[in-house]
Amino acid sequence: MFNHAKPVSTFFTFNGNAEEAMNFYLATFPDAKKISLTYFTKPEQGGDIGKVLNGTFEIKNAAFMVMDMTNNASPDFSWSTSTIYFASTENEFDDLFDKLSKEGTVMMGPEAVELLRKVAWVTDKYGVTWQLVFE
């Protein structure tokens, strides 16, 4: 398996700040864990030396991978694709909302939606969109 990825993983492509973003997610989500991190070390790998070739981490056993593109070749993220996260407690929800919305954009909430006690839709400072839910 490629660099410890799971059979289905979310892959984020960044323009030079993949390691910073990965570290942010590791510090933000309470149960996140780093799996691996490798860098471009040779020009023939096609990336900028010292930037992230592949980083892998997990949040609640869901796999995420990150990579840097050279020359800002990656398009911007879009809110049309988001990752939904079900918080175990209201405090966890509130903490995640505070961290993800800082320097980001709140698109919705937090608010109750039908039977859900709190829901929020947030694009973080890296442009990745998260839907937070507390049942």
Side-chain angles (χ1 to χ4, degrees):
M1 183 93 28
F2 181 74
N3 226 7
H4 308 289
K6 293 188 176 191
V8 176
S9 300
T10 299
F11 195 99
F12 296 134
T13 306
F14 293 90
N15 286 310
N17 60 348
E19 185 171 14
E20 177 185 319
M22 181 173 153
N23 287 334
F24 172 74
Y25 300 132
L26 289 170
T28 297
F29 290 91
D31 53 355
K33 66 180 180 178
K34 179 179 172 180
I35 304 300
S36 65
L37 183 62
T38 59
Y39 302 95
F40 290 103
T41 58
K42 301 175 275 192
E44 58 269 19
Q45 290 174 305
D48 293 333
I49 304 299
K51 291 297 181 179
V52 174
L53 170 63
N54 183 272
T56 305
F57 64 101
E58 292 181 357
I59 300 172
K60 288 192 177 187
N61 294 316
F64 295 85
M65 299 173 77
V66 298
M67 177 183 174
D68 280 318
M69 291 295 289
T70 59
N71 301 320
N72 294 322
S74 179
D76 291 338
F77 292 107
S78 166
W79 61 268
S80 65
T81 301
S82 60
T83 301
I84 191 165
Y85 182 96
F86 292 88
S88 300
T89 66
E90 187 169 12
N91 285 340
E92 179 186 18
F93 177 99
D94 293 342
D95 186 55
L96 288 172
F97 177 80
D98 290 344
K99 290 176 180 177
L100 292 170
S101 64
K102 185 177 181 181
E103 299 179 56
T105 304
V106 176
M107 301 171 63
M108 182 190 107
E111 60 191 65
V113 175
E114 304 209 6
L115 298 176
L116 303 173
R117 291 189 265 182
K118 280 188 177 179
V119 176
W121 202 350
V122 180
T123 299
D124 68 30
K125 63 184 176 180
Y126 297 101
V128 176
T129 301
W130 302 86
Q131 292 187 51
L132 304 175
V133 176
F134 174 59
E135 297 183 271

